Amino acid sequence: MIADIDTRTAVALSATDVRKTFGATVALDGASIEVGAGEIVAVMGPSGSGKSTLLHCLAGIIRPDAGVIRYGDRDIGAMGDAERSALRRATFWFVFQFGQLVPELSCLQNVAMPLRLSGMKRRPAEAQATAWLERLEVADVADHTPARVSGGQGQRVAVARALVSEPRVVFADEPTGALDSLNGERVLQLLTSAAREAAAAVVLVTHESRVAAYADREVVVRDGRTRA
């Protein structure tokens, strides 16, 4: 079982001197970052800089070749696959560029899915999901499948799904990259305000300064290295 951290803890998630290569390509070359509990941090950098690889290492999706990644007092890199999967299911959640909603499920069922995976019964899970759809201003599409909603609505549903289980850290990888400016701004406003209310940390990967402006601070990744 993954122990949660005290929200008063100064650092929720950290990476120290993380290195990762894919064949002959160096993706991370000594990257380091700290994310405070409840803090929104924008990870910026051009395409190919290593920012998405850093996010995937922080989230326990891929293992670094060297360096230490910690959630609280736990070394994520030392965890087994099952333990890292449990961490991602119960404590971390994700918002991707294209939402990645399950196409066969309704928007309500998509948002309820993390709760159902954790063992919650359908009715209370869907009640909680409905409340989050209302907070993200998309309750009117609850019964629609993802194919029947707009890009902006789909991303709001994805944000509701990311926050419904009250994760301690949300990883958002270019969450507005597929949206027009107006929809992108609204999704960012709702994501950041809802995360702050829930005291969830957010690691926001972007190459756009207007997106990074919603964060508490920025960390720049260039050639696999970080600088604040």
Side-chain angles (χ1 to χ4, degrees), residues 172-185:
D173 193 356
E174 301 283 5
T176 62
L179 303 179
D180 61 64
S181 297
L182 184 61
N183 274 305
E185 293 287 337

Side-chain angles (χ1 to χ4, degrees), residues 2 59-64 74-89:
I2 304 297
I61 295 172
I62 60 177
R63 291 181 186 273
R74 301 297 304 278
D75 182 351
I76 295 176
M79 293 178 181
D81 290 343
E83 196 173 8
R84 285 186 290 118
S85 293
L87 183 68
R88 292 193 299 271
R89 185 170 61 249

Side-chain angles (χ1 to χ4, degrees), residues 120-224:
M120 187 180 289
K121 292 187 179 297
R122 181 181 63 81
R123 188 165 294 178
E126 292 190 351
Q128 198 163 318
T130 297
W132 273 100
L133 287 170
E134 290 171 351
R135 288 180 71 175
L136 272 296
E137 303 174 354
V138 280
D140 56 327
V141 302
D143 295 331
H144 295 185
T145 59
R148 295 177 57 202
V149 303
S150 69
Q153 289 171 324
Q155 280 301 78
R156 295 186 201 184
V157 172
V159 171
R161 183 181 64 180
L163 292 169
V164 70
S165 59
E166 300 181 352
R168 302 319 318 147
V169 185
V170 175
F171 297 93
D173 193 356
E174 301 283 5
T176 62
L179 303 179
D180 61 64
S181 297
L182 184 61
N183 274 305
E185 293 287 337
R186 191 61 185 139
V187 166
L188 285 167
Q189 290 168 0
L190 291 166
L191 168 61
T192 53
S193 63
R196 286 192 169 101
E197 287 177 18
V202 178
V203 180
L204 176 62
V205 167
T206 184
H207 65 277
E208 296 186 64
S209 57
R210 69 175 183 83
V211 174
Y214 284 85
D216 298 315
R217 62 184 175 89
E218 300 173 10
V219 173
V220 177
V221 182
R222 190 174 295 277
D223 297 327

Side-chain angles (χ1 to χ4, degrees), residues 93-106:
W93 206 261
F94 306 85
V95 181
F96 298 101
Q97 181 173 344
F98 297 102
Q100 295 192 354
L101 300 174
V102 180
E104 296 83 8
L105 301 181
S106 70

Side-chain angles (χ1 to χ4, degrees), residues 15-88:
T16 305
D17 198 24
V18 173
R19 301 173 187 275
K20 183 67 182 179
T21 60
F22 298 98
T25 301
V26 177
L28 295 175
D29 188 19
S32 298
I33 187 173
E34 289 187 349
V35 181
E39 184 181 29
I40 299 174
V41 177
V43 179
M44 296 192 70
S47 178
S49 63
K51 59 187 186 296
S52 289
T53 301
L54 178 59
L55 180 145
H56 293 156
C57 287
L58 288 170
I61 295 172
I62 60 177
R63 291 181 186 273
D65 298 327
V68 177
I69 298 173
R70 291 189 177 277
Y71 170 71
D73 61 355
R74 301 297 304 278
D75 182 351
I76 295 176
M79 293 178 181
D81 290 343
E83 196 173 8
R84 285 186 290 118
S85 293
L87 183 68
R88 292 193 299 271

